Amino acid sequence: MAGQQPKLKAPGAKNKIELFSGTYFGACTLGGIIACGPTHTSVTPLDLVKCRRQVDPKIYTSNLQAWSSIYRAEGVRGVFFGWSPTFIGYSFQGAGKYGFYEVFKYLYGDRWFPNTNRTVVYLAASASAEFLADIALCPWEAIKVRMQTTLPPYANNLREGWSKIVAQEGVAGLYKGLYPLWGRQIPYTMVKFATFESAVSQIYKTLGKPKESYNTLQQTGVSFLGGYIAGIGCAVVSHPADVMVSKLNSDRKGACLM
């Protein structure tokens, strides 16, 4: 018998990740970590001032005055105070948000309810993913907000913050802001993913050619534009609950920004 001939790949063919495969979901999860952890950490100075002004609107007259005041008193470390719980928390949250979103999008849209309107699928998948992602984020967000909104600081680092909350309130203290966090993040993520998917689709329709006809750089540009459009709606929807998260997680017993 003649032996089986090995399968040959076409010249110039590239290895591509199969859609909705285990590798695909893993890549989305990794992408979420990269997209959320470093980016949220990089804007810690803005988040620090935002949280303090949400708890006490009179503490600073402007963002620039706030950064100047913090830098003179504490240096660069003070400006980036709270970066470690931010990095860990939003890395976990990004993994869950993007990883589970693709899983639920596949389950809801392709497996369980294949004839459902795609926008409904995007909304349901994003809500389900964010529900789980916020459970991973909540403890780190609680520590971050207490560190940032209490003067003198509730804790000087992540380890101290974790230990103090658990010692004083038990593990439940790490999750006391979970409901407002869901109230902030779930609508935010629903708007983000549904608007992003619709915006990208509309952009390609406007351009008049299918996505596959554009190179990687051009597709990335379309994704950035779609993300920018989605981000505007997200900020509007999530802001009221964001204020609640800051107020509920601030240290009520300490000298809270007085």
Side-chain angles (χ1 to χ4, degrees), residues 212-252:
E212 293 73 20
S213 64
Y214 296 95
N215 61 38
T216 302
L217 181 60
Q218 291 170 326
Q219 291 182 23
T220 302
V222 171
S223 295
F224 269 113
L225 179 57
Y228 183 81
I229 294 170
I232 296 172
C234 294
V236 174
V237 168
S238 66
H239 183 70
D242 186 47
V243 176
M244 290 177 61
V245 171
S246 293
K247 288 184 178 292
L248 284 175
N249 277 318
S250 62
D251 181 26
R252 299 296 185 181

Side-chain angles (χ1 to χ4, degrees), residues 3 29 32 38 50 64 66-67 75-76 83 107 113 131 133 155 160 170 172 184 190 195 197 207 223 235 247 249:
T29 301
K50 178 208 72 174
L64 290 177
W67 291 320
V76 175
W83 73 268
L107 292 176
F113 313 105
F131 178 87
E160 182 184 354
R184 180 187 79 183
M190 291 172 71
T195 304
E197 300 270 14
L207 293 174
S223 295
K247 288 184 178 292
N249 277 318

Side-chain angles (χ1 to χ4, degrees), residues 12 22 25 28 61 83 88 93 110 138 143 176 180 190 200 206 224:
F25 293 133
C28 292
T61 57
W83 73 268
I88 295 173
Q93 190 244 14
D110 290 65
C138 193
I143 296 168
K176 85 173 199 178
M190 291 172 71
V200 167
T206 303
F224 269 113

Side-chain angles (χ1 to χ4, degrees), residues 114-229:
N115 297 319
T116 303
N117 178 274
R118 295 307 294 177
T119 300
V120 173
V121 171
Y122 301 148
L123 291 170
S126 57
S128 301
E130 191 61 48
F131 178 87
L132 297 176
D134 288 346
I135 295 173
L137 168 64
C138 193
W140 314 99
E141 182 78 353
I143 296 168
K144 176 191 78 73
V145 172
R146 292 200 190 194
M147 288 174 62
Q148 291 180 333
T149 59
T150 306
L151 293 177
Y154 177 83
N156 292 309
N157 54 57
L158 171 60
R159 181 182 299 178
E160 182 184 354
W162 183 288
S163 299
K164 286 184 70 173
I165 292 176
V166 172
Q168 294 170 3
E169 305 173 42
V171 175
L174 297 170
Y175 287 92
K176 85 173 199 178
L178 182 58
Y179 291 158
L181 186 63
W182 275 332
R184 180 187 79 183
Q185 290 296 133
I186 291 178
Y188 171 97
T189 302
M190 291 172 71
V191 170
K192 176 166 71 174
F193 280 116
T195 304
F196 173 79
E197 300 270 14
S198 299
V200 167
S201 176
Q202 189 59 49
I203 291 170
Y204 282 118
K205 286 182 181 179
T206 303
L207 293 174
K209 292 191 292 184
K211 175 180 177 180
E212 293 73 20
S213 64
Y214 296 95
N215 61 38
T216 302
L217 181 60
Q218 291 170 326
Q219 291 182 23
T220 302
V222 171
S223 295
F224 269 113
L225 179 57
Y228 183 81
I229 294 170

Side-chain angles (χ1 to χ4, degrees), residues 47-138:
D47 189 47
L48 170 67
V49 173
K50 178 208 72 174
C51 288
R52 288 183 177 179
R53 296 186 75 182
Q54 285 175 336
V55 173
D56 182 2
K58 298 180 180 179
I59 186 172
Y60 303 120
T61 57
S62 69
N63 289 352
L64 290 177
Q65 185 270 328
W67 291 320
S68 177
S69 174
I70 295 169
Y71 180 77
R72 286 198 304 270
E74 307 171 54
V76 175
R77 182 183 181 277
V79 175
F80 280 87
F81 191 60
W83 73 268
S84 53
T86 298
F87 178 76
I88 295 173
Y90 282 94
S91 292
F92 279 131
Q93 190 244 14
K97 182 201 297 274
Y98 287 90
F100 283 126
Y101 173 68
E102 293 298 330
V103 170
F104 285 120
K105 187 168 72 172
Y106 168 64
L107 292 176
Y108 295 160
D110 290 65
R111 292 291 300 275
W112 297 343
F113 313 105
N115 297 319
T116 303
N117 178 274
R118 295 307 294 177
T119 300
V120 173
V121 171
Y122 301 148
L123 291 170
S126 57
S128 301
E130 191 61 48
F131 178 87
L132 297 176
D134 288 346
I135 295 173
L137 168 64
C138 193

